[in-house]
Amino acid sequence: MTDTSVVLVDVSDGVATITLNRPDARNALSLEVLRALPRAVRECDDRDDVRAIVLTGADPAFCAGLDLKELGSTGGNL
């Protein structure tokens, strides 16, 4: 995936690192992230060269939780 993606995947030595990549929003879970994250996990799980998956967030935080700004703008219909 590219650096502009909200979820990055890097595989090295049998370990897939999945990174939430919305640092400006403290990696809050937007609709885009909620769609991309399960896809990334499934893709890693399907790979023969992946033995472990690490979930992390781009600095400065792991994850702030649900993106409340987006939730407010959608009327609660995530």
Side-chain angles (χ1 to χ4, degrees):
M1 292 187 185
T2 65
D3 287 337
T4 59
S5 177
V6 295
V7 175
L8 305 175
V9 177
D10 178 60
V11 177
S12 179
D13 297 324
V15 178
T17 302
I18 299 175
T19 304
L20 304 177
N21 189 36
R22 296 186 67 220
D24 293 342
R26 300 185 69 76
N27 302 312
L29 300 173
S30 65
L31 184 57
E32 187 178 9
V33 172
L34 290 172
R35 288 183 177 149
L37 183 58
R39 225 178 5 248
V41 171
R42 276 192 304 274
E43 288 171 9
C44 291
D45 189 44
D46 289 342
R47 290 179 61 155
D48 291 334
D49 62 334
V50 172
R51 295 185 315 257
I53 299 173
V54 175
L55 179 61
T56 189
D59 281 339
F62 167 64
C63 179
L66 201 61
D67 188 334
L68 297 178
K69 288 181 183 177
E70 184 177 88
L71 183 65
S73 69
T74 63
N77 296 318
L78 277 180

